[in-house]
Amino acid sequence: MIEQIATFQVNVNIRDKAGLAGKLIGVAPAHSIAYAVDELPIKLDGMLWRKLFHVTGALGYSAEKSGNQTLFTLAPTSQAWQDAIKFTLNEEGGYSINPADPGGETK
């Protein structure tokens, strides 16, 4: 369950695995948000990495801190938000290409 929301202070790289060796798969823009995935953070390459689901659609790792610079902050979600996202993921979760769905293909 998603219990924390990350808010980016600056543009932050998104990688396919924790650490600088991870392949760059995107960039989270400053002031955007991501949802923290229920995993413990990973300390690697002198940084603290967290697995996040980004509003860009990317699921990957971003460094929370680099040296003394905070790249994003985490805040807890409310119970109402958790209930809403659980309902939405249950109803909308997974890949879909239903011709009757006016929203089109999910990616």
Side-chain angles (χ1 to χ4, degrees), residues 50-104:
R50 292 194 181 265
K51 189 172 187 181
L52 302 170
F53 180 68
H54 297 264
V55 294
T56 61
L59 176 62
Y61 291 86
S62 293
E64 183 175 352
K65 295 180 186 249
S66 179
N68 291 331
Q69 184 180 20
T70 299
L71 304 177
F72 65 84
T73 56
L74 290 170
T77 60
S78 68
Q79 186 60 50
W81 189 91
Q82 290 180 39
D83 292 345
I85 198 70
K86 184 177 180 181
F87 173 82
T88 302
L89 291 174
N90 186 50
E91 293 294 315
E92 299 289 339
Y95 175 79
S96 172
I97 186 163
N98 182 345
D101 181 357

